[in-house]
């Protein structure tokens, strides 16, 4: 049984930083491209960042470029999202995702596996 588990959400002030982490079980981590999606209340879920099997290729949503950094450690089966200069518009439930597609899968499709999400709230 595949499990995807996020951690690290919380409430911060605008301009502060936060790091989200994701671990998986039940799948061969380095066989999957990984990514983060988010969904704000009343809005469609959107792909925020995704990364190739070996971490050499990344995709970022335009609104987070230069502020968010996605990384993975295949030896530890972990995926991170470092979020700097957070804005109130970044407030959302953030979901870790795993897929068998291309490294930029999160830009245009839904993944094979989702986590339950972790809430990020940015106050002004």
């Amino acid at each position: 049984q595949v499990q995807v588990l996020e951690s690290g959400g919380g409430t911060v002030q605008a301009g502060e930083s936060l790091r989200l982490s994701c671990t998986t079980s039940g799948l061969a981590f380095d066989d999957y491209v990984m990514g983060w999606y988010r969904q704000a209340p009343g809005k469609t879920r959107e792909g925020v960042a995704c990364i190739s099997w070996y971490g050499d290729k990344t995709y970022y949503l335009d609104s987070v470029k230069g502020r968010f950094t996605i990384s993975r450690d295949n030896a530890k089966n972990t995926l991170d999202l470092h979020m700097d200069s957070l804005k109130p518009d970044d407030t959302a439930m953030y979901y870790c995702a795993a897929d068998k597609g291309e490294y930029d899968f999160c830009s245009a499709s839904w993944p094979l596996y989702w986590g339950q999400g972790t809430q990020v709230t940015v106050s002004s």
Side-chain angles (χ1 to χ4, degrees), residues 48-113:
V48 175
C50 37
I51 190 167
S52 59
W53 298 272
Y54 300 116
D56 57 329
K57 296 179 181 179
T58 55
Y59 161 85
Y60 293 97
L61 184 67
D62 282 347
S63 62
V64 308
K65 283 180 181 176
R67 300 188 298 120
F68 289 14
T69 302
I70 188 171
S71 62
R72 65 188 295 166
D73 186 335
N74 288 348
K76 297 180 180 179
N77 285 11
T78 58
L79 175 76
D80 285 345
L81 184 68
H82 291 262
M83 305 183 292
D84 295 324
S85 303
L86 281 161
K87 305 175 181 179
D89 284 350
D90 296 318
T91 295
M93 185 71 79
Y94 283 71
Y95 299 89
C96 179
D99 196 67
K100 283 278 195 175
E102 298 296 321
Y103 79 95
D104 57 353
F105 73 98
C106 68
S107 66
S109 65
W110 300 133
L112 289 173
Y113 303 108

Side-chain angles (χ1 to χ4, degrees), residues 8-20 83 86-87 90-92 118-124:
T11 300
V12 296
Q13 299 280 334
E16 294 184 341
S17 300
L18 205 60
R19 187 184 77 173
L20 305 183
M83 305 183 292
L86 281 161
K87 305 175 181 179
D90 296 318
T91 295
T118 185
Q119 178 67 38
V120 172
T121 302
V122 184
S123 59
S124 58

Side-chain angles (χ1 to χ4, degrees), residues 1-3 24-34 53 72 74 77 98-100 113:
Q1 181 179 0
V2 174
Q3 291 186 318
T24 66
S25 62
L27 58 78
F29 185 78
D30 54 4
D31 280 351
Y32 286 77
V33 290
M34 299 294 296
W53 298 272
R72 65 188 295 166
N74 288 348
N77 285 11
D99 196 67
K100 283 278 195 175
Y113 303 108

